[in-house]
Amino acid sequence: MPNDFLSPADQAAAEQQQRLLAAQVVRHDQLPTTIRTVAGVDVAYAQHSDQLVAAAVLLDAATLEIRHTAVVRLGAAFPYIPGLFSFRELPPIQQALAQLPEAPDLVICDGQGLAHPRRFGLACHLGVATGLPTIGCAKTRLVGSYHALGHPRGSTAELVLDGEVVGQALRTQPGINPLFVSIGHRVSLATACHWVLRCAPTYRQPETTRAADHLVNQELHRLLAAALPPAPDGM
DNA sequence: GCGACAG
DNA sequence: ATCTTGTCGC
Protein backbone atom coordinates (compact mmCIF):
# COMPACT_ATOMS: atom_id res chain seq x y z
CA MET A 1 0.00 0.00 0.00
CA PRO A 2 2.61 2.59 0.96
CA ASN A 3 4.57 1.41 -2.04
CA ASP A 4 1.81 2.01 -4.55
CA PHE A 5 3.36 5.22 -5.73
CA LEU A 6 6.56 3.35 -6.49
CA SER A 7 4.91 1.03 -8.96
CA PRO A 8 3.02 3.13 -11.52
CA ALA A 9 0.85 1.22 -13.99
CA ASP A 10 2.81 2.49 -16.99
CA GLN A 11 5.38 4.98 -18.24
CA ALA A 12 2.91 7.85 -18.60
CA ALA A 13 1.70 7.36 -15.03
CA ALA A 14 5.30 7.29 -13.77
CA GLU A 15 6.14 10.54 -15.55
CA GLN A 16 3.04 12.21 -14.17
CA GLN A 17 4.01 11.04 -10.71
CA GLN A 18 7.42 12.68 -11.16
CA ARG A 19 5.92 16.02 -12.22
CA LEU A 20 3.70 15.95 -9.15
CA LEU A 21 6.41 15.03 -6.65
CA ALA A 22 9.00 17.38 -8.18
CA ALA A 23 7.14 20.30 -6.58
CA GLN A 24 8.01 18.90 -3.14
CA VAL A 25 11.78 19.02 -3.64
CA VAL A 26 13.51 21.47 -1.28
CA ARG A 27 16.44 23.06 -3.11
CA HIS A 28 18.07 24.95 -0.25
CA ASP A 29 20.06 23.80 2.77
CA GLN A 30 17.81 22.26 5.35
CA LEU A 31 20.11 19.74 6.99
CA PRO A 32 21.70 19.33 10.45
CA THR A 33 24.21 22.04 11.41
CA THR A 34 26.73 19.31 12.15
CA ILE A 35 26.76 16.36 9.78
CA ARG A 36 27.91 13.38 11.81
CA THR A 37 27.06 10.57 9.41
CA VAL A 38 26.78 10.29 5.63
CA ALA A 39 25.25 7.31 3.86
CA GLY A 40 25.94 5.69 0.51
CA VAL A 41 23.45 3.53 -1.43
CA ASP A 42 23.86 1.36 -4.52
CA VAL A 43 22.15 -1.44 -6.45
CA ALA A 44 23.49 -4.39 -8.48
CA TYR A 45 21.86 -7.24 -10.40
CA ALA A 46 22.53 -10.19 -12.70
CA GLN A 47 21.45 -9.87 -16.31
CA HIS A 48 19.29 -12.99 -16.43
CA SER A 49 17.67 -12.48 -13.06
CA ASP A 50 14.98 -10.09 -11.87
CA GLN A 51 16.62 -9.87 -8.47
CA LEU A 52 17.99 -6.52 -7.33
CA VAL A 53 20.58 -6.33 -4.56
CA ALA A 54 20.73 -3.03 -2.70
CA ALA A 55 23.04 -1.81 0.04
CA ALA A 56 23.10 1.14 2.42
CA VAL A 57 26.29 2.08 4.22
CA LEU A 58 26.63 4.51 7.09
CA LEU A 59 29.98 6.31 7.28
CA ASP A 60 31.42 8.57 9.94
CA ALA A 61 31.38 11.97 8.22
CA ALA A 62 34.64 13.04 9.84
CA THR A 63 36.79 9.97 9.20
CA LEU A 64 34.83 8.29 6.36
CA GLU A 65 35.09 5.02 8.25
CA ILE A 66 32.26 2.51 7.91
CA ARG A 67 29.97 2.38 10.95
CA HIS A 68 27.04 0.24 9.75
CA THR A 69 25.94 -1.67 6.67
CA ALA A 70 22.70 -3.23 5.41
CA VAL A 71 22.00 -5.36 2.33
CA VAL A 72 18.63 -6.45 0.91
CA ARG A 73 17.41 -8.46 -2.08
CA LEU A 74 14.19 -7.66 -3.93
CA GLY A 75 12.55 -8.61 -7.22
CA ALA A 76 12.52 -5.82 -9.80
CA ALA A 77 9.08 -4.23 -10.16
CA PHE A 78 9.94 -1.83 -12.98
CA PRO A 79 12.27 -2.01 -16.02
CA TYR A 80 15.23 0.30 -16.56
CA ILE A 81 14.10 3.29 -18.58
CA PRO A 82 16.30 6.41 -18.77
CA GLY A 83 14.37 9.08 -16.88
CA LEU A 84 12.39 6.55 -14.82
CA PHE A 85 15.37 5.05 -13.08
CA SER A 86 14.08 5.60 -9.54
CA PHE A 87 10.97 3.45 -10.02
CA ARG A 88 13.32 0.51 -10.45
CA GLU A 89 15.94 1.16 -7.78
CA LEU A 90 14.14 3.12 -5.09
CA PRO A 91 12.22 0.21 -3.47
CA PRO A 92 15.29 -1.88 -2.55
CA ILE A 93 17.29 1.23 -1.63
CA GLN A 94 14.62 2.41 0.78
CA GLN A 95 14.49 -1.03 2.39
CA ALA A 96 18.24 -1.12 2.84
CA LEU A 97 18.27 2.37 4.40
CA ALA A 98 15.50 1.35 6.79
CA GLN A 99 17.62 -1.59 7.98
CA LEU A 100 20.36 0.70 9.27
CA PRO A 101 20.31 1.04 13.10
CA GLU A 102 20.09 4.82 12.74
CA ALA A 103 19.10 7.32 10.06
CA PRO A 104 21.94 9.16 8.29
CA ASP A 105 22.32 12.96 8.38
CA LEU A 106 22.92 12.97 4.63
CA VAL A 107 22.66 10.51 1.74
CA ILE A 108 24.77 10.50 -1.44
CA CYS A 109 23.02 8.66 -4.30
CA ASP A 110 24.52 6.91 -7.31
CA GLY A 111 22.48 8.77 -9.95
CA GLN A 112 20.99 12.17 -10.76
CA GLY A 113 18.97 14.53 -8.61
CA LEU A 114 17.60 17.66 -10.30
CA ALA A 115 19.72 17.01 -13.40
CA HIS A 116 16.77 15.17 -14.90
CA PRO A 117 14.23 15.83 -17.71
CA ARG A 118 11.47 16.54 -15.17
CA ARG A 119 13.83 17.64 -12.39
CA PHE A 120 13.16 14.49 -10.40
CA GLY A 121 15.99 11.97 -10.53
CA LEU A 122 16.64 9.17 -8.02
CA ALA A 123 18.16 11.47 -5.39
CA CYS A 124 15.08 13.72 -5.41
CA HIS A 125 12.75 10.73 -5.25
CA LEU A 126 14.61 9.19 -2.31
CA GLY A 127 14.72 12.55 -0.53
CA VAL A 128 11.02 13.32 -0.94
CA ALA A 129 10.06 9.74 -0.06
CA THR A 130 12.11 9.64 3.15
CA GLY A 131 12.47 13.29 4.10
CA LEU A 132 16.25 12.83 4.32
CA PRO A 133 18.74 15.34 2.88
CA THR A 134 20.05 13.79 -0.36
CA ILE A 135 22.61 14.50 -3.09
CA GLY A 136 22.65 13.23 -6.68
CA CYS A 137 26.13 12.05 -7.74
CA ALA A 138 26.25 10.36 -11.17
CA LYS A 139 29.18 9.02 -13.16
CA THR A 140 27.74 10.15 -16.48
CA ARG A 141 25.40 12.86 -17.73
CA LEU A 142 21.69 12.30 -18.38
CA VAL A 143 20.65 15.79 -19.49
CA GLY A 144 22.12 19.27 -19.93
CA SER A 145 25.34 20.65 -21.37
CA TYR A 146 28.51 22.02 -19.84
CA HIS A 147 31.79 23.65 -20.83
CA ALA A 148 35.24 22.19 -20.36
CA LEU A 149 36.48 22.32 -16.78
CA GLY A 150 39.95 22.73 -15.29
CA HIS A 151 42.20 19.78 -14.54
CA PRO A 152 42.80 20.33 -10.80
CA ARG A 153 40.77 18.43 -8.22
CA GLY A 154 37.79 20.58 -7.26
CA SER A 155 37.32 22.14 -10.73
CA THR A 156 33.69 22.62 -11.72
CA ALA A 157 31.46 23.56 -14.66
CA GLU A 158 27.75 24.34 -14.53
CA LEU A 159 25.42 21.75 -16.04
CA VAL A 160 22.72 23.72 -17.85
CA LEU A 161 19.33 22.56 -19.13
CA ASP A 162 16.74 24.88 -20.65
CA GLY A 163 18.73 27.88 -19.40
CA GLU A 164 18.65 26.59 -15.84
CA VAL A 165 21.62 25.35 -13.79
CA VAL A 166 20.53 21.84 -12.86
CA GLY A 167 23.85 20.56 -11.58
CA GLN A 168 27.61 20.80 -11.57
CA ALA A 169 30.28 18.72 -13.31
CA LEU A 170 32.82 18.22 -10.51
CA ARG A 171 36.37 16.90 -10.90
CA THR A 172 37.18 14.92 -7.77
CA GLN A 173 40.62 13.76 -8.90
CA PRO A 174 43.16 15.62 -11.07
CA GLY A 175 42.84 14.86 -14.77
CA ILE A 176 40.12 12.26 -14.24
CA ASN A 177 36.58 12.45 -15.65
CA PRO A 178 34.27 14.54 -13.49
CA LEU A 179 31.17 13.39 -11.60
CA PHE A 180 27.78 15.03 -12.14
CA VAL A 181 26.49 16.47 -8.90
CA SER A 182 22.97 17.82 -8.41
CA ILE A 183 20.53 18.70 -5.66
CA GLY A 184 18.55 15.78 -4.32
CA HIS A 185 16.51 17.22 -1.44
CA ARG A 186 17.18 19.73 1.36
CA VAL A 187 20.78 20.35 0.18
CA SER A 188 21.92 23.30 -1.97
CA LEU A 189 24.11 22.67 -5.01
CA ALA A 190 27.13 24.33 -3.38
CA THR A 191 26.75 22.20 -0.26
CA ALA A 192 26.26 19.10 -2.38
CA CYS A 193 29.54 19.70 -4.23
CA HIS A 194 31.30 20.38 -0.94
CA TRP A 195 30.27 17.01 0.47
CA VAL A 196 30.98 14.99 -2.64
CA LEU A 197 34.47 16.47 -2.82
CA ARG A 198 34.97 15.89 0.89
CA CYS A 199 33.91 12.25 0.57
CA ALA A 200 36.18 11.62 -2.43
CA PRO A 201 39.68 12.44 -1.09
CA THR A 202 41.42 9.57 -2.91
CA TYR A 203 39.30 8.16 -5.71
CA ARG A 204 36.96 9.50 -8.39
CA GLN A 205 33.88 8.22 -6.59
CA PRO A 206 32.98 9.21 -3.02
CA GLU A 207 33.76 6.60 -0.36
CA THR A 208 30.05 6.27 0.33
CA THR A 209 29.36 4.99 -3.18
CA ARG A 210 32.49 2.85 -3.20
CA ALA A 211 31.54 1.12 0.04
CA ALA A 212 27.96 0.49 -1.09
CA ASP A 213 29.15 -0.74 -4.49
CA HIS A 214 31.58 -3.15 -2.88
CA LEU A 215 28.83 -4.57 -0.66
CA VAL A 216 26.27 -5.17 -3.39
CA ASN A 217 28.80 -6.89 -5.63
CA GLN A 218 29.92 -9.10 -2.77
CA GLU A 219 26.31 -10.09 -2.07
CA LEU A 220 25.56 -10.60 -5.77
CA HIS A 221 28.48 -13.00 -6.12
CA ARG A 222 27.20 -14.99 -3.14
CA LEU A 223 23.81 -15.24 -4.80
CA LEU A 224 25.21 -16.36 -8.12
CA ALA A 225 27.42 -18.97 -6.47
CA ALA A 226 24.47 -20.36 -4.52
CA ALA A 227 22.29 -20.49 -7.64
CA LEU A 228 24.80 -22.37 -9.76
CA PRO A 229 25.11 -26.19 -9.72
CA PRO A 230 27.81 -27.34 -7.28
CA ALA A 231 31.04 -27.76 -9.23
CA PRO A 232 32.60 -31.23 -9.10
CA ASP A 233 35.96 -31.04 -7.37
CA GLY A 234 38.14 -33.01 -9.71
CA MET A 235 41.05 -34.32 -7.67
C1' DG B 1 13.39 11.35 -39.21
C1' DC B 2 17.87 11.00 -36.36
C1' DG B 3 20.58 10.77 -32.13
C1' DA B 4 20.77 10.66 -26.87
C1' DC B 5 19.70 8.10 -23.12
C1' DA B 6 21.46 8.00 -14.77
C1' DG B 7 22.08 2.42 -13.61
C1' DA C 1 23.96 -2.09 -14.99
C1' DT C 2 26.07 -6.79 -16.91
C1' DC C 3 29.33 -9.76 -19.85
C1' DT C 4 34.28 -10.55 -20.72
C1' DT C 5 40.61 -11.46 -20.71
C1' DG C 6 44.35 -9.73 -20.46
C1' DT C 7 47.45 -6.05 -19.39
C1' DC C 8 49.93 -2.27 -17.26
C1' DG C 9 51.36 -0.21 -12.89
C1' DC C 10 51.99 0.88 -7.80
Side-chain angles (χ1 to χ4, degrees):
Chain A
M1 196 57 165
N3 268 24
D4 266 13
F5 80 111
L6 288 176
S7 303
D10 54 47
Q11 189 166 332
E15 291 177 3
Q16 190 49 47
Q17 188 67 262
Q18 293 183 320
R19 293 189 190 90
L20 200 66
L21 293 173
Q24 294 179 42
V25 172
V26 171
R27 306 183 179 207
H28 59 271
D29 287 323
Q30 197 173 81
L31 63 175
T33 307
T34 300
I35 299 297
R36 294 190 164 76
T37 60
V38 54
V41 291
D42 193 24
V43 177
Y45 36 89
Q47 195 160 62
H48 294 300
S49 165
D50 69 330
Q51 293 298 297
L52 300 185
V53 176
V57 186
L58 195 69
L59 304 191
D60 181 302
T63 65
L64 299 185
E65 288 175 346
I66 297 176
R67 292 291 180 240
H68 302 285
T69 66
V71 182
V72 304
R73 179 161 52 98
L74 194 64
F78 209 83
Y80 168 68
I81 299 173
L84 298 180
F85 184 46
S86 64
F87 292 100
R88 178 178 176 78
E89 299 206 347
L90 189 54
I93 286 176
Q94 251 194 279
Q95 283 194 15
L97 267 177
Q99 305 261 325
L100 290 175
E102 61 182 280
D105 289 329
L106 176 66
V107 182
I108 296 180
C109 300
D110 187 16
Q112 318 289 348
L114 284 185
H116 175 280
R118 290 167 292 282
R119 311 295 192 276
F120 199 69
L122 173 67
C124 297
H125 205 154
L126 177 63
V128 169
T130 64
L132 293 171
T134 61
I135 292 172
C137 181
K139 295 181 293 298
T140 61
R141 179 196 67 88
L142 173 61
V143 294
S145 59
Y146 63 102
H147 294 290
L149 51 164
H151 284 249
R153 159 179 156 82
S155 298
T156 62
E158 293 182 332
L159 183 61
V160 179
L161 176 63
D162 300 325
E164 178 193 3
V165 176
V166 296
Q168 201 93 242
L170 170 66
R171 183 125 36 213
T172 55
Q173 292 303 318
I176 291 180
N177 290 159
L179 292 177
F180 297 83
V181 179
S182 57
I183 290 172
H185 187 53
R186 303 175 62 172
V187 183
S188 68
L189 185 53
T191 298
C193 287
H194 167 84
W195 278 101
V196 169
L197 197 56
R198 202 182 181 305
C199 291
T202 310
Y203 300 95
R204 181 196 182 210
Q205 294 252 60
E207 291 304 310
T208 42
T209 301
R210 284 168 42 80
D213 185 77
H214 185 241
L215 267 179
V216 291
N217 282 313
Q218 183 178 305
E219 178 63 19
L220 186 59
H221 287 153
R222 281 181 202 151
L223 272 176
L224 294 177
L228 290 178
D233 59 82
M235 278 265 151

